């Protein structure tokens, strides 16, 4: 029986590095602190970060096309305020969820349309979207709104028991199902192939007959949907709406994508990577909590160091691919000249 071999190449080295980092961090925490190596501590990483897994996965699609979405945190906060205020008025919980998803879809589609129609840079458009979303949330209310709706409280408190005495929440199931769906869409659908092609080269995508405009709008619409879904899951988690929720979370989503192996230059990345990136940052935060005396800002410091490390690794891989591509072109030209001679 042949042993299972994993071939390390420039295509999978980053995701393998992320998995190695995940194992090392969890192993270090387990050796340093009693009780760290337990099923529930690991499952809590998913419970506490389910909303971020969804948002980061949506962000991955945008980054793969070569774009960026800075509005995701503001949309999550906006959805929490919209949900909490509508529920406070007595609206049906499932109607509120539907309205929340429609708000996110409309927000993302509008940004995608502006980016494509007027050839605006995604940084500018989504930066405006970030201020717009947060501003609308402030208009709804500046104080925290507690969610007392029975459906939301039941979903929030519901536990799915697993073997070993551990449990997960419904939010974790939603996040994992979404990641699986995202992987399938990215790998087996025309939309997924168009996303990767657009990130590789917009000019080549046009020559291939792909609809660059429709793909761009669809990607930002998807990101808006993910932000809205993440907002609903976050509202389950917090049971409150607040316009100040998750200030700066868009950077956490981008960091998760980078650590998870999504190239910021676009065109490459495994869609399971952002989830691994979120788990890495979650373990760092958990280690700091177990330590007890360190400031929570150390989480940002460590994540910043990891970002520098993974961006350097990404750059080395890109340079190697460019060098390999140039060498291949030179070889083809020499072979072509030899044939002519």
């Amino acid at each position: 029986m042949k042993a299972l071999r994993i071939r390390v190449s420039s295509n999978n080295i980053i995701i393998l590095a992320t998995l190695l980092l995940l194992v090392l961090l969890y192993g270090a925490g387990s050796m340093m602190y009693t009780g760290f190596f337990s099923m529930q501590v690991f499952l809590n990483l998913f419970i506490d970060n389910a909303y971020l897994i969804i948002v980061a996965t949506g962000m991955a699609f945008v980054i793969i096309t070569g774009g960026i979405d800075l509005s995701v945190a503001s949309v999550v906060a906006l959805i929490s305020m919209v949900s909490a205020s509508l529920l406070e008025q007595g609206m049906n919980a499932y109607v509120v969820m539907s309205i929340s998803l429609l708000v996110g879809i409309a927000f993302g589609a509008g940004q995608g349309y502006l980016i494509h129609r007027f050839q605006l840079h995604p940084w500018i458009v989504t930066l405006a979207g970030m201020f717009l979303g947060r501003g609308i949330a402030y208009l709804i209310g500046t104080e925290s709104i507690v969610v007392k709706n029975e459906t939301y409280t039941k979903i929030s408190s519901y536990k799915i028991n697993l073997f070993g005495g551990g449990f997960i929440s419904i939010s974790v199931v939603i996040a994992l199902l979404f990641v699986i769906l995202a992987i399938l869409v990215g790998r087996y659908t025309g939309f997924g192939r168009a996303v990767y092609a657009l990130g590789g080269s917009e000019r080549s995508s046009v020559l291939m007959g792909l609809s660059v405009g429709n793909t761009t709008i669809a990607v930002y619409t998807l990101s808006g949907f993910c932000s809205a879904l993440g907002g609903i899951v976050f509202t389950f988690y917090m049971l409150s709406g607040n316009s100040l929720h998750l200030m700066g979370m868009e950077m956490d989503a981008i960091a998760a994508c980078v650590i998870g192996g999504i190239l910021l230059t676009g065109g490459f990345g495994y869609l399971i990577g952002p989830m691994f990136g979120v788990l890495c940052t979650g373990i760092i935060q958990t280690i700091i909590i177990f330590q007890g005396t360190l400031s929570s800002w150390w989480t940002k410091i460590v994540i910043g160091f990891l970002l520098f490390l993974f961006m350097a690794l990404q750059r080395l891989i890109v340079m190697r691919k460019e060098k390999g591509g140039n060498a291949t072109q030179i070889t083809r030209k020499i072979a072509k000249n030899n044939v002519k001679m």
Side-chain angles (χ1 to χ4, degrees):
M1 185 176 180
K2 293 184 178 180
L4 178 64
R5 295 182 180 180
I6 300 176
R7 182 181 177 184
V8 179
S9 67
S10 59
N11 288 336
N12 61 20
I13 190 171
I14 299 180
I15 194 70
L16 291 176
T18 305
L19 284 170
L20 178 62
L21 175 65
L22 186 63
V23 172
L24 290 176
L25 287 172
Y26 195 70
S30 301
M31 289 188 291
M32 291 168 60
Y33 306 108
T34 304
F36 194 97
F37 188 74
S38 68
M39 174 66 72
Q40 195 54 52
V41 169
F42 181 72
L43 294 177
N44 284 343
L45 295 174
F46 290 91
I47 294 172
D48 296 337
N49 297 287
Y51 70 93
L52 184 55
I53 290 173
I54 295 170
V55 174
T57 303
M59 178 74 78
F61 278 94
V62 176
I63 294 177
I64 289 171
T65 64
I68 200 75
D69 190 352
L70 300 177
S71 68
V72 292
S74 297
V75 174
V76 172
L78 173 61
I79 294 303
S80 76
M81 285 298 291
V82 168
S83 301
S85 61
L86 292 177
L87 290 170
E88 190 178 41
Q89 296 172 26
M91 187 174 288
N92 179 273
Y94 296 104
V95 174
V96 171
M97 293 179 202
S98 301
I99 292 173
S100 298
L101 291 175
L102 289 174
V103 169
I105 290 170
F107 203 96
Q111 291 186 133
Y113 177 79
L114 291 174
I115 291 168
H116 167 65
R117 179 66 179 80
F118 300 103
Q119 295 297 300
L120 298 173
H121 198 285
W123 279 90
I124 303 300
V125 174
T126 58
L127 180 64
M130 179 178 73
F131 287 113
L132 178 62
R134 192 70 68 172
I136 296 173
Y138 280 120
L139 284 178
I140 295 173
T142 56
E143 301 294 330
S144 181
I145 303 175
V146 178
V147 175
K148 299 178 181 179
N149 179 270
E150 185 179 356
T151 302
Y152 268 65
T153 54
K154 282 185 177 179
I155 293 174
S156 176
S157 61
Y158 189 81
K159 296 178 181 179
I160 301 172
N161 295 314
L162 303 176
F163 61 91
F167 66 88
I168 58 174
S169 63
I170 292 178
S171 296
V172 175
V173 176
I174 295 172
L176 293 178
L177 288 176
F178 182 79
V179 171
I180 293 171
L181 181 62
I183 294 170
L184 294 175
V185 169
R187 188 174 181 85
Y188 298 109
T189 67
F191 170 70
R193 289 189 288 271
V195 167
Y196 282 95
L198 179 58
S201 173
E202 183 174 340
R203 184 179 178 183
S204 298
S205 299
V206 173
L207 294 174
M208 290 167 60
L210 298 176
S211 178
V212 173
N214 289 341
T215 303
T216 300
I217 295 173
V219 161
Y220 284 92
T221 302
L222 176 61
S223 181
F225 170 82
C226 293
S227 298
L229 182 59
I232 293 171
V233 168
F234 184 73
T235 307
F236 292 154
Y237 181 69
M238 295 295 293
L239 284 179
S240 69
N242 195 316
S243 53
L244 292 174
H245 275 326
L246 300 175
M247 298 289 286
M249 186 270 283
E250 62 277 353
M251 296 306 169
D252 294 331
I254 296 171
C257 289
V258 173
I259 296 173
I262 306 295
L263 291 184
L264 288 175
T265 52
F268 179 80
Y270 293 99
L271 289 168
I272 197 173
M275 184 182 73
F276 292 149
V278 170
L279 293 179
C280 286
T281 58
I283 291 175
I284 293 168
Q285 190 172 12
T286 305
I287 289 174
I288 290 172
I289 291 172
F290 267 77
Q291 205 281 332
T293 60
L294 290 175
S295 167
S296 60
W297 288 105
W298 275 100
T299 304
K300 303 294 184 183
I301 294 171
V302 176
I303 291 174
F305 173 77
L306 290 176
L307 282 176
F308 279 123
L309 183 65
F310 275 84
M311 283 190 291
L313 181 60
Q314 285 188 9
R315 185 56 191 163
L316 288 173
I317 291 171
V318 171
M319 290 173 63
R320 182 177 177 182
K321 285 186 176 182
E322 289 176 349
K323 185 177 179 181
N326 291 335
T328 302
Q329 289 180 358
I330 292 172
T331 302
R332 287 177 178 175
K333 287 181 179 179
I334 293 174
K336 187 176 182 180
N337 291 333
N338 289 337
V339 170
K340 290 181 178 179
M341 292 174 63

